[in-house]
Amino acid sequence: LEGDLPEYAPRIADLSSEEETLVLGSAEFASAVRRRIDAGETPAVVITSEIERFQTGLRDDDGLRMPTVALCSAIRGFGDFDQMPDRLPTRVDRDALIYVALDGLDWQPLENGTHRWQVDHRIELRQLSDGFVVDPGRWAVQTHALPAPSRDAFFWVRIRLPISDLSAGRYALKVRVREPSSGREVDRSLDLELVPARLLTEAGGD
C-alpha cells in the first residue's frame, strides 16, 4: 500500500454480468482500503470495516437472476419442459426452444390493478475455440402481466440453429437479459457440441 501505485483497472470484457459485479466490487474494496489508509486511518480498522461493507453488499444483492436456462424441444409451462441433448449432429439445421426462468424481477403496478414485468433479451451464438461470434442475435422484448407478482416467471424463445453452416466443434448460446426499468443485466451460456452423425450413432450403439 506504499508508494505511487497505478489505479487498479480489472479486465471485464469476457466476464458474465455476475462475475463482472464481483470483480468490480473487489476492485472498489481495494481502492477504498488504499484511499483511507493514505488518508491516515488505522489499517486494521479500515480493512475490517471495508470487508464488512463488501460482504454486506454481496448478501444484500437482490439482482436479476436466471436460475434456469435450457435448450428444449418442448415447453409446457414453468419448470415443465423437454430438454434437448447438448450434442447434435452436423449438417442439418435444427429448430429449438430456449426456456428462461427469471427471479428478482422489478414488477411494475399498472392502472388496472395488475403487475407487469418487462425484459429485453438477446441470444448470441459463439464458437468456443476462438471466440468467433457466428450470430450476434438481436434484442427483443418479453413482457407479462399478472394480478399479483409471482416467483414463477419465465419466457421462451423459438430459434433455428444454423447447423448446416457450421463445422463440427463446440459452441455456446449466450442468453442476455436486461431489465429497462432497473438497468440490471444478466447472462447465462448454454454449451453445445456439433459432431458428425456417424459418431452419435456409434456412441448410441455401444
Side-chain angles (χ1 to χ4, degrees):
L1 296 174
E2 297 180 355
D4 187 16
L5 299 176
E7 188 72 13
Y8 174 57
R11 298 183 59 183
I12 59 175
D14 298 326
L15 300 180
S16 70
S17 58
E18 294 173 343
E19 292 168 337
E20 178 180 331
T21 298
L22 182 59
V23 170
L24 291 177
S26 300
E28 182 181 351
F29 164 80
S31 297
V33 168
R34 177 186 174 189
R35 182 174 60 253
R36 291 177 61 183
I37 290 178
D38 287 345
E41 295 187 46
T42 304
V45 174
V46 170
I47 292 173
T48 299
S49 65
E50 288 298 327
I51 287 177
E52 182 177 354
R53 184 187 62 82
F54 181 52
Q55 291 177 333
T56 300
L58 293 178
R59 287 194 302 267
D60 294 343
D61 179 28
D62 61 346
L64 182 65
R65 292 177 294 277
M66 292 189 289
T68 304
V69 178
L71 187 66
C72 307
S73 57
I75 298 173
R76 289 171 290 274
F78 179 77
D80 187 6
F81 51 82
D82 297 331
Q83 192 163 353
M84 291 177 59
D86 57 6
R87 301 182 78 222
L88 297 174
T90 55
R91 296 189 178 183
V92 180
D93 291 350
R94 179 73 68 93
D95 291 323
L97 305 171
I98 294 183
Y99 171 93
V100 181
L102 299 169
D103 193 15
L105 286 163
D106 179 25
W107 289 81
Q108 297 289 314
L110 302 178
E111 293 183 357
N112 61 4
T114 63
H115 292 74
R116 181 185 68 185
W117 59 263
Q118 178 176 321
V119 297
D120 302 329
H121 68 83
R122 188 175 79 180
I123 299 171
E124 174 187 284
L125 178 61
R126 180 185 297 267
Q127 189 169 349
L128 291 180
S129 60
D130 56 6
F132 176 73
V133 177
V134 178
D135 184 353
R138 61 180 63 184
W139 289 103
V141 178
Q142 291 282 348
T143 185
H144 193 60
L146 290 174
S150 170
R151 294 183 62 87
D152 298 343
F154 78 99
F155 69 88
W156 59 270
V157 182
R158 185 182 302 276
I159 65 170
R160 185 167 182 82
L161 296 170
I163 296 177
S164 60
D165 297 331
L166 305 176
S167 58
R170 297 189 64 83
Y171 297 83
L173 287 165
K174 185 175 183 179
V175 182
R176 296 182 59 189
V177 171
R178 66 187 182 192
E179 190 176 51
S181 63
S182 65
R184 297 177 300 179
E185 186 171 326
V186 65
D187 58 69
R188 289 276 299 273
S189 291
L190 298 171
D191 290 341
L192 181 67
E193 184 178 10
L194 301 182
V195 299
R198 62 178 179 82
L199 295 183
L200 288 178
T201 303
E202 292 171 359
D206 290 342

